[in-house]
Every structure is written in structure tokens, then in C-alpha cells.
Amino acid sequence: MLEKCRILYKGDMIAGSFYLFVGLVLLLFAGILHYTTESLGFHYLSIGFFMFFLYSMGKGVVIFFLSRQRYNFYLHLNSLTKPILEDETTYTEFRIKKKNINRRRYVWIMVICSVVAFLGIFSRQKGLIMGTAIPIALISGIEFGIGLLNEFRLREYMRLLLKRAE
């Protein structure tokens, strides 16, 4: 079971690294759009990409370091005691509940921003509307996808924790 704990937190470190990668890609897109286009819509889009670059980098760093801290804790542990197992079960339950709430939010944000971006095509302020809605829908989709993958891993991990507790 100790090896499963290590694997879970190593996977979380990979998820944090993916957020860092997404942040760098968003920074690249923001730079390209900012320096190669003159359209107001692309300018707003580059600002949105830059803001989500900051968000992705911050989230990636936090996830990576928190996961690394727990990974190192389990790496130097020789066996799981009952209090540690109960703490891990409580923490995993909290993470699963949080993922459920966030999943609904991300789906709604994706749908609403996609519709707003589409309707923005037909308005006079299409640059502002589309430049704002597209990055929000994009980052919500990325968050939704990564959240689903993490939730599947957490549910399986929770099943193993409950099985071990019995």
C-alpha cells in the first residue's frame, strides 16, 4: 500500500508538471499573438493567454510542491500506521469531493464561454468578447480534462485505502 501512495503522489507531480507545460505554451501563444498581430481581438486574446499563463504556472508550482512533499513523506516511511491511513483516507475523500464540485463548474464555464464566443462573432465588440471568452473556455477544458484523470486515479486509490482499512 505504501508503494500505491508513492505512485499517486508521483502522478500528482506529473500533473503539476503538465500545468507548467501548459503555462509555457500559453505564454508562447500570448507572445506570438502580441508581437505579430495588430487586431484588437488578438490583443485581448494575448492578454487572456498571459493571465492564464500566470494561473497555470502558479497552480502547477503549488501542485508540484505539495505532491512532492507528500511523496517524500511516503518515500521515507517504512510502513503505514492506522493514524496515517485514516489521515490519507480523509484527505483523499476531501480531494474527491472537491473534484466533483469543480467538474460541474468547469463544464458550465466551458459551455457558457463557448456560446458567448460564438455569439460574439455577430456583435460589434467581437474582438473583446471572443478574446475574453476563448481563453476562459480553453483553460476550463484543460482543467476539466486533468481533473477527470485525477479523479479516476483518486477513486481507485480510495477504493484501495478502504480495502486496506478493513
Side-chain angles (χ1 to χ4, degrees):
M1 187 66 203
L2 196 56
E3 190 60 33
K4 303 260 190 256
C5 295
R6 293 175 187 149
I7 290 171
L8 179 82
Y9 291 112
K10 190 178 271 192
D12 286 346
M13 288 189 310
I14 292 171
S17 300
F18 184 73
Y19 275 110
L20 294 173
F21 173 72
V22 167
L24 292 175
V25 169
L26 289 173
L27 179 64
L28 177 70
F29 287 163
I32 290 171
L33 287 174
H34 181 72
Y35 290 112
T36 61
T37 61
E38 294 182 12
S39 168
L40 188 61
F42 286 122
H43 178 69
Y44 287 127
L45 191 60
S46 72
I47 292 171
F49 282 158
F50 182 75
M51 295 301 289
F52 284 118
F53 151 73
L54 295 174
Y55 170 78
S56 292
M57 293 300 281
K59 186 167 184 169
V61 166
V62 168
I63 288 174
F64 185 84
F65 283 116
L66 289 177
S67 300
R68 178 105 177 138
Q69 188 177 30
R70 289 186 81 95
Y71 175 75
N72 285 336
F73 172 75
Y74 286 111
L75 190 62
H76 300 308
L77 200 64
N78 293 328
S79 65
L80 283 176
T81 61
K82 189 165 179 69
I84 292 174
L85 197 60
E86 289 172 359
D87 179 57
E88 189 64 25
T89 303
T90 304
Y91 181 63
T92 305
E93 283 177 351
F94 163 73
R95 287 181 66 191
I96 289 173
K97 287 178 185 174
K98 189 174 157 188
K99 296 277 182 213
N100 281 334
I101 293 168
N102 287 340
R103 182 172 15 117
R104 289 183 196 97
R105 287 181 186 159
Y106 293 137
V107 167
W108 279 108
I109 290 171
M110 267 191 314
V111 169
I112 290 169
C113 286
S114 297
V115 169
V116 167
F118 177 74
L119 294 176
I121 296 171
F122 306 109
S123 72
R124 290 181 187 215
Q125 289 82 22
K126 70 178 169 185
L128 175 63
I129 293 171
M130 291 175 63
T132 304
I134 289 172
I136 294 171
L138 177 69
I139 202 71
S140 295
I142 291 169
E143 288 277 351
F144 176 71
I146 294 172
L148 269 181
L149 293 174
N150 283 335
E151 186 179 346
F152 292 145
R153 288 185 320 113
L154 285 172
R155 286 193 185 278
E156 180 63 22
Y157 181 61
M158 186 67 177
R159 186 184 68 79
L160 294 171
L161 283 173
L162 293 174
K163 188 176 180 181
R164 171 70 187 232
E166 293 172 357

